[in-house]
Amino acid sequence: MNDLNLLDLQGNNFSGMLPKFSKATQLYILKVSENRLEGKLPRSLVECTLLEVLDVGNNMMNDTFPFWLQKLPYLTVLILRENRFYGQIKHFKHKFVFPNLDVLDIASNQFSGELSINFLQTTRLRSLKIGGNKLEGKLSRSLANCKALEVLDLGNNMVHDTFPFWLEKLPSLKVLILRANRFYGTIAEFNTERGFPKLRILDIGSNNFSGNLSIEFLLSLKAMMQLRNDDKAKLDYIGEDYYQDSVTIFNKGIEMFYQKVLTILTCLDLSNNSFHGRIPEEIQMLRSLKVLNLSYNSFSGEIPVALGNLKDLESLDLSQNELSGKIPPHLTSLTFLAALNLSYNQLEGSIPQSNQFITFSNDSYHGNPKLCGLPLSRKCNEVGLPMPPPPRGDESWLYAMTTWKIALMGYANGLVVGLCIGYTGLNELGNKWVDRLKKHGERNKRRSR
């Protein structure tokens, strides 16, 4: 072990506890992720004074945050993700203890309390992933000092704050994930001259944001406005040679994990909030978008014709809103579109029948009783029978029980879980729906006579 420089045991089936490393004084890279290791991190790692990369992700290790690793002066990458680390992350000595840390990934553990990053040398930090824990309180304003930060993922926590428009100050920020927290309020306070110069992935889904989708907000997403020449674009990934960032986003209707993140991937996810009003025509300015998800809001009015100008779009989800009017034929010009969901709106008229639109199934249009034409069985010379309104609030769970296909759409927004949990106590609501449907049927019979 005295001469060991690099130890890479990733992706095996090793179990038990990590051995002692007191003799591995020359070790500078240790990767043991994706095994079945358990127990605590061996304190003997402090003897590895040359250690630069420590990756114990995707195991079953059970420990508190290892502040004692501060004794490693060259530690650059620390990955603890998907283990059973727990407790608060708070350093009481008010000093930088990881002076060279570039990457900190503690996602999917059981850390709790408010997160302070005052123990980190903020000018060095490039990637911070703290999602999937039980962190709460407000977002640490000291993040504004992380001038080198490219990736910030704090999704699936309990952070309670307004939109962090002050992160505009970060010149290198490329990925910002705020999904499934308790963020709230409108998103309107922006300096569009500065904006987010490099932000290409923004996911604020499943929060409590509200109000209109402001034009100033859209114009602040400057990197999403820039088209790249595919002939010249290289297959560059976010990260360095020693560590490449991963990200989980909702794409084409399902949750997708990207082991590596191409710098050309551009995603805007505002789903499952309380935005309302019209979708601004200015959304066409985000010309490099590949994924756009505005589902589960209260957007109204017609689908903007301008969406047809997003030529790189591969996934478009406008489902579960209050959109009306016809589907713009201009959308057929989106020849890269692989996934479309317009279900549960108030759309009407014939479905366009060219290019990508001939490939989409019924699931793309469910819950729009006035739509007609293929792939629906309803012909455009038939008058569609009235249907119950799109599911909202508590009624949506019962509606899901009567419309099974909604549970097959593959959206990880709590719908299927709610279907199992929310049934108890809805008998009274169910009876009201049954009575409503009976009356509806009787009216149709009288009309047919």
Side-chain angles (χ1 to χ4, degrees):
M1 263 212 171
N2 293 338
D3 298 323
L4 186 64
N5 297 124
L6 185 153
L7 181 59
D8 188 345
L9 302 176
Q10 296 181 102
N12 286 286
N13 200 28
F14 293 116
S15 59
M17 300 176 66
L18 277 174
K20 293 181 179 180
F21 287 89
S22 53
K23 295 184 179 181
T25 55
Q26 302 301 311
L27 189 66
Y28 68 92
I29 293 179
L30 175 59
K31 296 182 178 181
V32 292
S33 62
E34 299 180 45
N35 284 287
R36 294 189 295 120
L37 299 171
E38 53 191 2
K40 294 185 176 183
L41 277 175
R43 273 26 179 197
S44 57
L45 283 170
V46 296
E47 304 295 330
C48 305
T49 54
L50 300 180
L51 196 64
E52 297 179 15
V53 177
L54 175 58
D55 182 356
V56 298
N58 298 79
N59 280 289
M60 298 181 290
M61 306 194 76
N62 187 9
D63 206 346
T64 54
F65 188 83
F67 276 108
W68 48 270
L69 287 174
Q70 63 183 286
K71 296 180 180 179
L72 302 179
Y74 302 109
L75 190 63
T76 304
V77 176
L78 177 57
I79 302 175
L80 309 178
R81 70 175 297 120
E82 294 192 44
N83 276 279
R84 298 171 183 173
F85 287 90
Y86 63 92
Q88 296 191 12
I89 306 175
K90 199 167 186 179
H91 195 263
F92 297 98
K93 294 185 179 180
H94 301 291
K95 67 174 184 178
F96 299 137
V97 294
F98 292 103
N100 291 306
L101 202 64
D102 180 283
V103 174
L104 177 60
D105 186 350
I106 59 172
S108 301
N109 280 285
Q110 299 172 28
F111 291 116
S112 58
E114 294 190 18
L115 175 71
S116 170
I117 63 167
N118 295 330
F119 61 91
L120 298 172
Q121 175 59 267
T122 53
T123 57
R124 289 294 305 267
L125 195 63
R126 190 195 61 77
S127 179
L128 178 61
K129 297 180 181 178
I130 58 178
N133 285 285
K134 300 175 182 178
L135 299 170
E136 54 190 359
K138 290 191 174 183
L139 198 56
S140 175
R141 273 19 182 201
S142 56
L143 283 167
N145 299 321
C146 301
K147 301 301 183 183
L149 196 64
E150 295 183 5
V151 177
L152 175 58
D153 183 351
L154 52 98
N156 293 282
N157 278 289
M158 299 181 288
V159 179
H160 185 71
D161 207 347
T162 54
F163 185 85
F165 60 89
W166 41 271
L167 289 176
E168 289 184 311
K169 298 177 181 179
L170 303 182
S172 302
L173 190 63
K174 298 176 182 177
V175 178
L176 177 57
I177 310 291
L178 308 180
R179 164 171 290 275
N181 275 276
R182 297 174 181 174
F183 286 93
Y184 63 92
T186 59
I187 304 180
E189 189 173 350
F190 277 93
N191 178 355
T192 53
E193 291 185 3
R194 178 187 295 159
F196 290 97
K198 292 189 177 181
L199 189 64
R200 299 188 66 83
I201 297 177
L202 174 61
D203 184 351
I204 61 173
S206 298
N207 280 287
N208 296 311
F209 291 116
S210 58
N212 291 308
L213 183 54
S214 78
I215 296 173
E216 290 76 17
F217 166 63
L218 295 176
L219 295 180
S220 73
L221 305 174
K222 296 186 179 299
M224 298 185 186
M225 300 179 186
Q226 302 167 1
L227 277 175
R228 296 194 176 191
N229 189 329
D230 289 337
D231 295 330
K232 297 180 180 180
K234 299 178 182 178
L235 290 180
D236 290 332
Y237 299 95
I238 299 176
E240 309 290 344
D241 293 337
Y242 55 85
Y243 174 81
Q244 290 181 329
D245 285 280
S246 59
V247 69
T248 299
I249 62 175
F250 285 81
N251 187 4
K252 301 177 183 178
I254 57 175
E255 188 178 47
M256 297 180 65
F257 176 74
Y258 290 79
Q259 187 72 41
K260 299 179 181 179
V261 186
L262 278 168
T263 55
I264 60 172
L265 177 62
T266 309
C267 169
L268 178 61
D269 191 336
L270 312 181
S271 63
N272 202 18
N273 281 286
S274 297
F275 291 111
H276 57 75
R278 291 179 173 269
I279 301 173
E281 294 279 339
E282 285 77 5
I283 203 165
Q284 68 179 311
M285 300 292 290
L286 309 182
R287 296 182 300 165
S288 69
L289 273 182
K290 297 187 182 298
V291 178
L292 177 60
N293 190 348
L294 305 180
S295 65
Y296 285 86
N297 281 286
S298 297
F299 288 113
S300 58
E302 297 184 347
I303 297 175
V305 173
L307 285 177
N309 294 326
L310 300 178
K311 302 299 184 183
D312 280 0
L313 206 59
E314 298 176 7
S315 176
L316 175 62
D317 192 345
L318 305 178
S319 64
Q320 298 282 357
N321 279 286
E322 299 170 11
L323 299 170
S324 57
K326 295 184 177 182
I327 300 174
H330 298 76
L331 296 187
T332 60
S333 65
L334 302 177
T335 52
F336 289 108
L337 199 62
L340 173 70
N341 194 346
L342 305 178
S343 63
Y344 298 102
N345 280 284
Q346 301 167 21
L347 301 172
E348 60 184 48
S350 59
I351 297 172
Q353 299 292 318
S354 63
N355 294 335
Q356 299 299 99
F357 271 72
I358 63 175
T359 68
F360 301 130
S361 67
N362 289 9
D363 292 343
S364 295
Y365 309 105
H366 274 314
N368 292 281
K370 294 183 180 180
L371 277 181
C372 59
L374 295 175
L376 301 177
S377 58
R378 188 183 305 112
K379 297 179 181 179
C380 288
N381 58 359
E382 296 177 350
V383 179
L385 296 176
M387 291 179 64
R392 290 286 178 184
D394 292 336
E395 291 184 353
S396 64
W397 311 120
L398 183 64
Y399 192 90
M401 282 182 262
T402 61
T403 314
W404 287 100
K405 289 182 180 179
I406 198 170
L408 301 177
M409 290 165 60
Y411 283 83
N413 52 22
L415 183 61
V416 179
V417 175
L419 184 66
C420 301
I421 297 174
Y423 182 77
T424 304
L426 288 180
N427 289 334
E428 182 179 348
L429 179 61
N431 291 334
K432 290 180 181 179
W433 272 81
V434 172
D435 291 341
R436 188 187 304 179
L437 292 172
K438 284 182 178 178
K439 292 178 182 178
H440 184 68
E442 291 173 357
R443 284 199 301 269
N444 289 335
K445 286 181 181 178
R446 287 197 295 269
R447 289 175 184 170
S448 61
R449 289 172 184 169

